[in-house]
Amino acid sequence: MARSKKTQGPVTRRGFLKGAATAAAGAAALTGVPVTDAGAAQSTGGSPDSAPPPSPAQVERDAGNVRPPAAARPGQRAAVRPGSDLMVQVLRDLGVEYVAGNPGSSFEGLQESIINYGTPPNKMPEFITALHEESAVTMAHGYGKATGKPMCAVLHGTIGVQHAAMSIYQAYYDRTPALLLAGRDLGFIAAHSANDMAGMVRSFTKWDAQPRTLADSLTAIQRAYNEAITPPCGPTLVVLDIELQKEEARELKVPAYAAAKVTAIDVGQAREIAKGLLDAQNPRIAVGRLRTSDGVKAAVELAELVGASTSTAATQGPMSFPQRHPLCGPGASATYDYVLGLEAPAATVSLSGPALSTLLNRDTANIGFGGIAPGVSRAGAGGGTPSGRTIPIDAEASLPVIIEETRRQMTPERQRLIQERAGRHAAANTQARMEELRRALEQKRAGWDASPVSTARIYAELWPLIVNEDWILASPSGFSGGHNTQLWDHNRPYSYLGGQGAGGMGYGAPASVGAALAAKSRGRIVINVQTDGDLNYAPGVLWTAVHHQLPMLTVMHNNRAWHQELMFVEYMCGVRGRGGDRGHIGTTLREPNIDYRAMAMAYGMEGEGPISDPAKLNAALKRGLASVKRGQPYLIDVITQPR
Ligand SMILES: Cc1ncc(C[n+]2csc(CCOP(=O)(O)OP(=O)(O)O)c2C)c(N)n1
């Protein structure tokens, strides 16, 4: 599908401001009077080489010597209706709960509006303090996966966008909606500005704009939101000039919001699919990652309606079919005569088993964007090019049409057969589950009492403590053994948020913080099984969790290494026949060992450890969960086996 990609308005080169204009902006900062003088934003035609020296006001301000303006008295407000108030109103109307950012003067107008405008101020959206732009965007990534909705991150100029670049790429690769706003201030800090600021990340954002008027800024934010949630979903970026944030809005109205329309399958195709599902003796529905919990609900409704056994991606990521639903599993027979894929990886949309002589029309159809590239190669993530008939239309939007057509074609006789089949599937799936669990328990017992602690024991000890909670496993579990896959039940659309997106490290903690932002207002708790290498990219996000009192339990999988890379380097040493005894160089986190309890404490987070005696793990987990349920994040440092 063609991706929309447009920059609003021509990008004009405004150059660098000299003398008067820069001083005007500096004076504005001193007095609190917004720069609305059009002259202050005019280019003098300078070039980067001829950038002026900083003005005295700028020097003062950079040195932190600027006193805030005296509090305005009633009737003496420096700004009556600043443009950024309207921007915040747009975010509020869109239901954006949080804006994460690391402060920067290029969005000081917007930040001031977030924290002061509206009733109550600093709510819907609430400003979330990030210590790094990469963390701010990864928070939005984690939040987006947990809710299917965009969270906002705000970035300061060119440098903020560059700090955020990896996380923007990762959210894009992961097809996760996020709304990014970047402040631009050509007048005050030329070094943090560029003519086309979104250009740096354009190849991995879905849509961007750099509006030139306040009115356009408001519609651009609305459109960016809609583009983010329209499949294939992804991050979008609006660059907001500081002048527009500070401009007096006067009589300008917040534009009415037109909800995003997602195209669904046409009725003819839906009818054909409904017929395929109903005519089949053993239909199968393969479910990948849908967009929201509504899609998951609809997938369950369709599977129950036609009595199809299903496969799920709930152990790989969010928004898939409930793992322990009676229809989820291989079913009574793995010979399917009709397979419907819903955003499914190609490998799951196949007719397995020998063809039955009685079944002539064996067929598959895969609806969605599951394996379709939104701009960068996704072969790995999507499981390859889908086979069979592919219908590149959003599955979630199509499900209600298919359900309606299926109901239309239903007969009492079919209904009776479907009920019988569903009963057989449920019995077979329960048996398969019991066998899988028995095998898994046998395997997970290996090294149960070993020190360092086995990763299986972490997941096994956690499960009884959270089974009756509304939990989210927000961290990727692949590097800690993936034991949740067999030991836990992933029945909610947000039970497990899956991998990093594009394998970029520095993801687990900030994504968990983003998920915990979503969890906090919904009465959930977040589990973050945190690998040590990953945490060290931007650990300051622990402070954000404490500052905002987020329900997040972090259990360190502390193998004191970038173990994945240690294995690669050791392998290389081995194949080159030079011995493995130096493979630890550049791949281990020892000498000194990092004290994660001390790290947590430094950021104000309660914690304990290091724990290397597995017998001490359970009590520590109980203390951690009790703390999290009181709204205080907690970290337990566990010294673990490599995997
Ligand atoms: C930004 C980034 N830099 C480097 C890598 C390469 N890399 C892949 S896995 C890995 C090690 C991760 O270590 P840790 O998080 O401690 O997990 P472990 O392998 O020890 O379980 C690294 C550095 C990467 N994927 N992303």
Side-chain angles (χ1 to χ4, degrees):
M1 186 182 119
R3 286 159 22 88
S4 58
K5 175 71 74 173
K6 188 178 145 222
T7 299
Q8 200 157 336
V11 177
T12 54
R13 175 158 183 79
R14 302 171 94 176
F16 289 76
L17 299 179
K18 288 190 175 173
T22 309
L30 282 168
T31 60
V33 176
V35 181
T36 52
D37 173 12
Q42 290 303 313
S43 167
T44 57
S47 70
D49 294 330
S50 62
S55 68
Q58 184 173 339
V59 171
E60 279 294 286
R61 182 171 161 146
D62 288 352
N65 294 335
V66 178
R67 260 181 286 128
R73 288 192 295 277
Q76 285 199 329
R77 288 189 55 192
V80 179
R81 200 168 173 247
S84 51
D85 281 4
L86 276 66
M87 295 171 185
V88 170
Q89 186 61 49
V90 168
L91 295 175
R92 184 170 290 189
D93 293 348
L94 289 167
V96 173
E97 281 186 290
Y98 302 108
V99 178
N102 184 247
S105 58
S106 63
F107 59 80
E108 64 189 4
L110 182 65
Q111 185 167 351
E112 193 277 336
S113 289
I114 293 169
I115 61 178
N116 279 331
Y117 165 79
T119 315
N122 198 31
K123 271 267 169 292
M124 206 73 179
E126 178 183 351
F127 194 87
I128 302 299
T129 316
L131 279 68
H132 194 299
E133 289 83 356
E134 185 177 290
S135 309
V137 175
T138 304
M139 282 180 217
H141 188 178
Y143 177 97
K145 286 211 258 187
T147 61
K149 281 175 47 167
M151 176 179 144
C152 185
V154 62
L155 309 170
H156 170 60
T158 46
I159 51 177
V161 173
Q162 287 176 88
H163 253 187
M166 187 201 83
S167 45
I168 299 174
Y169 172 70
Q170 191 127 267
Y172 178 76
Y173 203 84
D174 213 6
R175 285 176 292 143
T176 303
L179 175 58
L180 313 178
L181 305 176
R184 187 176 78 142
D185 186 350
L186 284 170
F188 187 58
I189 308 181
H192 299 178
S193 307
N195 290 333
D196 177 13
M197 255 177 40
M200 292 180 284
V201 292
R202 184 159 294 131
S203 61
F204 42 92
T205 44
K206 192 181 165 203
W207 185 85
D208 68 79
Q210 192 169 291
R212 300 180 67 197
T213 65
L214 177 56
D216 282 353
S217 307
L218 305 179
T219 47
I221 296 171
Q222 290 177 333
R223 172 140 183 220
Y225 184 93
N226 280 1
E227 293 284 350
I229 60 171
T230 308
C233 301
T236 56
L237 172 63
V238 182
V239 178
L240 295 169
D241 278 327
I242 192 74
E243 292 91 347
L244 304 180
Q245 300 169 37
K246 295 182 178 176
E247 184 178 310
E248 274 298 333
R250 301 184 200 286
E251 302 304 313
L252 186 66
K253 289 202 167 61
V254 172
Y257 169 64
K261 287 201 183 78
V262 181
T263 308
I265 200 169
D266 69 52
V267 176
Q269 280 174 312
R271 195 168 297 143
E272 205 183 295
I273 289 171
K275 186 169 174 351
L277 287 167
L278 288 174
D279 284 353
Q281 290 180 29
N282 190 24
R284 173 87 167 162
I285 300 180
V287 187
R289 180 169 154 194
L290 298 157
R291 281 183 293 114
T292 71
S293 52
D294 286 346
V296 176
K297 244 186 259 160
V300 171
E301 189 182 340
L302 180 64
E304 290 176 355
L305 195 60
V306 300
S309 71
T310 63
S311 66
T312 180
T315 54
Q316 285 127 57
M319 306 298 167
S320 197
F321 203 85
Q323 186 189 13
R324 307 301 180 203
H325 186 285
L327 289 171
C328 190
S333 159
T335 299
Y336 313 116
D337 49 342
Y338 188 89
V339 181
L340 173 66
L342 303 171
E343 311 287 353
T348 59
V349 191
S350 70
L351 298 156
S352 51
L356 297 180
S357 54
T358 50
L359 304 173
L360 299 175
N361 297 318
R362 304 179 85 223
D363 197 3
T364 69
N366 193 7
I367 312 177
F369 296 96
I372 294 170
V376 285
S377 163
R378 305 187 46 80
T385 310
S387 61
R389 216 147 33 99
T390 58
I391 305 171
I393 284 186
D394 182 57
E396 180 163 328
S398 302
L399 272 162
V401 192
I402 299 170
I403 289 169
E404 201 184 318
E405 282 304 318
T406 309
R407 287 199 191 287
R408 229 190 278 278
Q409 294 178 34
M410 187 65 77
T411 61
E413 174 57 9
R414 269 182 168 149
Q415 219 156 13
R416 193 183 59 74
L417 293 173
I418 284 168
Q419 259 166 23
E420 281 172 18
R421 184 168 65 221
R424 286 196 298 278
H425 283 330
N429 287 338
T430 304
Q431 201 184 339
R433 159 78 182 137
M434 287 304 140
E435 272 163 28
E436 184 204 23
L437 191 60
R438 189 184 48 72
R439 269 196 313 273
L441 289 176
E442 255 166 47
Q443 283 168 6
K444 313 291 175 197
R445 275 199 193 98
W448 185 255
D449 293 317
S451 175
V453 179
S454 90
T455 52
R457 185 151 179 178
I458 292 179
Y459 286 91
E461 298 264 21
L462 264 170
W463 180 236
L465 304 179
I466 62 165
V467 65
N468 294 322
E469 306 289 338
D470 191 359
W471 54 270
I472 303 173
L473 176 61
S475 49
S477 67
F479 285 4
S480 51
H483 305 289
N484 57 306
T485 306
Q486 303 100 28
L487 297 181
W488 296 13
D489 298 342
H490 305 81
N491 286 339
R492 299 192 177 101
Y494 47 81
S495 290
Y496 176 49
L497 303 188
Q500 299 87 354
M505 295 293 126
Y507 166 87
S512 298
V513 167
L517 284 166
K520 188 181 176 183
S521 52
R522 293 162 177 82
R524 300 172 189 156
I525 59 168
V526 165
I527 307 296
N528 170 30
V529 180
Q530 176 65 58
T531 58
D532 53 338
D534 182 85
L535 180 63
N536 279 294
Y537 288 85
V541 76
L542 297 178
W543 181 89
T544 301
V546 179
H547 184 69
H548 293 284
Q549 300 183 309
L550 300 183
M552 177 177 89
L553 175 66
T554 295
V555 183
M556 291 303 300
H557 162 34
N558 181 4
N559 56 19
R560 292 180 171 153
W562 293 278
H563 186 73
Q564 184 61 50
E565 300 302 325
L566 172 62
M567 292 191 286
F568 287 141
V569 173
E570 280 189 335
Y571 170 80
M572 199 42 53
C573 296
V575 292
R576 290 180 174 176
R578 297 200 245 214
D581 53 337
R582 291 154 74 86
H584 65 279
I585 297 173
T587 54
T588 48
L589 281 152
R590 294 166 187 267
E591 298 174 19
N593 292 332
I594 297 173
D595 183 343
Y596 293 98
R597 176 174 173 267
M599 180 190 275
M601 301 286 268
Y603 288 118
M605 188 180 286
E606 290 295 318
E608 59 185 285
I611 293 175
S612 24
D613 177 358
K616 298 201 169 132
L617 181 62
N618 194 273
L621 293 174
K622 283 184 180 149
R623 282 188 290 273
L625 282 164
S627 169
V628 167
K629 285 194 229 163
R630 288 193 303 269
Q632 287 162 356
Y634 198 87
L635 180 145
I636 304 168
D637 183 11
V638 185
I639 309 301
T640 48
Q641 298 287 335
R643 275 281 181 276

